[in-house]
Amino acid sequence: MSLKKKISALILTVTVGVSGLIGYNAMNPSKPNYTDDSKTNVNRQMEHILNISKEPHTIFDSDKEAQDEVRDYLISELNKLEVSTKTYKYDDVHLKNHEAYGENATEKVDLENIYGELKGKSDSYILLCTHYDSAGAKEGRYSQSEGSLGSADAGYALSTILETLRVIKESNVELENGIKILFTDGEECGLLGAKESVKEKEIFDGVNYVINIEARGTSGPAIMFETSQNNKAVLDLYEATDKSYSYSITPEIYRLLPNGTDFTVFLENNLTGINISVLDGLENYHTPNDNPDNLSDKSMQHYGDQVLPIVKEFVSNEKYSNPDVFESKEDSIFFTLGNQFIRYSKNTNMILLALIALSILFAIKKLNITNNKNIFKYIGINSLYTLVTVGLGYGLSRLLALINGRKFELTYLPLIKFEKAIFIIVMIALFVGYFLIVKKFTNNFKENNEFTVSSLIGLFILSLVLTFALPGASYLTVFPAIMLSIALFIKIYLVDVRNIGYIMLLPIALIVMLYVPTIYLFNCALTMGALCVNVFFAIIAYTAIMIGLINMKELF
């Protein structure tokens, strides 16, 4: 290999490695704060969590002593912050499918929601909500054979809300608008407290924005994974934080899943807002391992770094006293790239699609593509490779479930031995296999122009499908396609410029930065049961990266 080729290989390797690290590190946007009381403080949060999670506190406890202690502690802390509090009691609430919750479950349960209020000058409020019961044992799921201490679920949320209120009070923020707090009971057994709470006019009167906080695990970034529909104005307030972390694909997918949180009930009652949760550490979720020892200071801080600025902006800005301020008729498309939160409208998305289409026509003309059969050939190869590998991914997840003695569920298959190693090996094997197939069928990359055009057409077709079927996911194909189109346009026009092929490093780097955390979070949220889904999105990324690589072939 010549020196030039060695240098090119080194530059490519460093680019991919650095962009991969940037993408991975983006999942740790917050550094724990232990000393500065002007922002949420991890030490103070942990103090709350230690008091909340001394023992399991479920609605099925025979004497409910543990849950009563948690309730009394929360009310005491709210009172210290001069929050006006009251409880709403509900007796003999019917519990559907109560047999699933074990031998201690009863058909009817008693609930007690905690409500608090800090009045502002206007009658407009932001509602901070979570639940205070922990998960009990549940039959049919091996990981829930015992009850949880609730340190993350929902200790993260409870401590975040208490710390947010403390900072607001100690900062002497003038409340143009008020804050309401709702700690529901019985969330773990069918969102019972939330369903009862929406019947209370006092709680939701004047509420214009809801922040619901959850935990489906014990670590990782606190991702804003769900919004109310027509979320353009909702996201305007969410962007008040500089630690935003969200992808518009997550609300789309979450709406298709059978899962639910208290926020589900609020959406059904036409409330506006956001839902935040960690997703990593699923193996600890709803188990005795949801305890203080398994918590993440980074995750804890990230909750506060998102929630506090949003609340500060809402309560201090007079414009949020207008009940119509969050009305909108459109959804935004958004994603996190490195430490940047990128958002655009569906109209902008249509413009990007048009530009991609024009760039394809431009490439066909300028690259002198005359053999249409080759274009169809590569579309077929990409499609076939995707279908085969998705099928193999599904088969592998079924096999892993069998080997590990687990019931296979497409969206819930945690605790697979060597899961991370298997996942990494699969992702590497996918790319190596794809690289070798492309090399073979392009005659050692000689038909690079045909491959480029056909793969861009494939990305464009997928972009169209996602735009109309799952618009929040469309950025996963639109963003790579537009970045590659821009780079390809520059490369074609500056073809005589020495080493112009390096321009393709930019889209390659940005695609890696986008897909590393995306695929990682998909695996956290959907588990190995949905390996086939991750394979599908990985192939999209690999196709886009291969377009960049094959247009750098003159450098190697």
Side-chain angles (χ1 to χ4, degrees), residues 163-181:
E163 263 297 270
T164 297
L165 293 170
R166 178 194 64 78
V167 175
I168 294 289
K169 292 291 291 184
E170 292 183 1
S171 301
N172 295 316
V173 176
E174 188 171 356
L175 300 185
E176 295 290 339
N177 309 298
I179 305 172
K180 290 189 176 185
I181 299 95

Side-chain angles (χ1 to χ4, degrees), residues 495-547:
V495 66
D496 295 327
V497 175
R498 186 181 178 187
N499 296 329
I500 189 60
Y502 283 123
I503 191 68
M504 305 308 297
L505 288 174
L506 180 59
I508 289 173
L510 293 174
I511 291 163
V512 171
M513 285 171 57
L514 174 66
Y515 269 90
V516 165
T518 297
I519 290 174
Y520 183 86
L521 286 172
F522 277 1
N523 188 54
C524 291
L526 301 176
T527 72
M528 287 292 280
L531 179 61
C532 57
V533 177
N534 252 326
V535 167
F536 175 77
F537 286 111
I539 295 301
I540 294 174
Y542 293 163
T543 301
I545 291 170
M546 187 60 69
I547 294 172

Side-chain angles (χ1 to χ4, degrees), residues 306-326:
Q306 288 186 92
V307 174
L308 176 59
I310 296 171
V311 177
K312 271 190 173 181
E313 171 64 15
F314 182 94
V315 300
S316 61
N317 195 327
E318 190 177 349
K319 79 174 185 178
Y320 295 114
S321 62
N322 181 356
D324 299 327
V325 71
F326 294 110

Side-chain angles (χ1 to χ4, degrees), residues 453-483:
V453 170
S454 64
S455 296
L456 278 175
I457 290 172
L459 288 175
F460 177 70
I461 292 171
L462 271 175
S463 297
L464 282 175
V465 172
L466 291 174
T467 293
F468 293 102
L470 210 64
S474 60
Y475 70 90
L476 288 169
T477 51
V478 171
F479 179 75
I482 197 68
M483 290 295 102

Side-chain angles (χ1 to χ4, degrees), residues 403-472:
I403 292 172
N404 286 270
R406 310 295 190 207
K407 177 185 175 182
F408 175 79
E409 292 184 51
L410 189 64
T411 58
Y412 189 79
L413 188 61
L415 301 177
I416 298 297
K417 291 181 180 178
F418 312 113
E419 176 181 347
K420 289 185 178 178
I422 293 171
F423 187 78
I424 292 171
I425 290 170
V426 168
M427 291 298 115
I428 293 173
L430 276 175
F431 182 75
V432 171
Y434 185 59
F435 182 87
L436 294 176
I437 285 174
V438 172
K439 181 180 179 181
K440 177 180 179 180
F441 283 95
T442 59
N443 192 18
N444 202 24
F445 304 125
K446 290 179 181 178
E447 296 176 357
N448 61 312
N449 291 341
E450 289 85 351
F451 176 83
T452 296
V453 170
S454 64
S455 296
L456 278 175
I457 290 172
L459 288 175
F460 177 70
I461 292 171
L462 271 175
S463 297
L464 282 175
V465 172
L466 291 174
T467 293
F468 293 102
L470 210 64

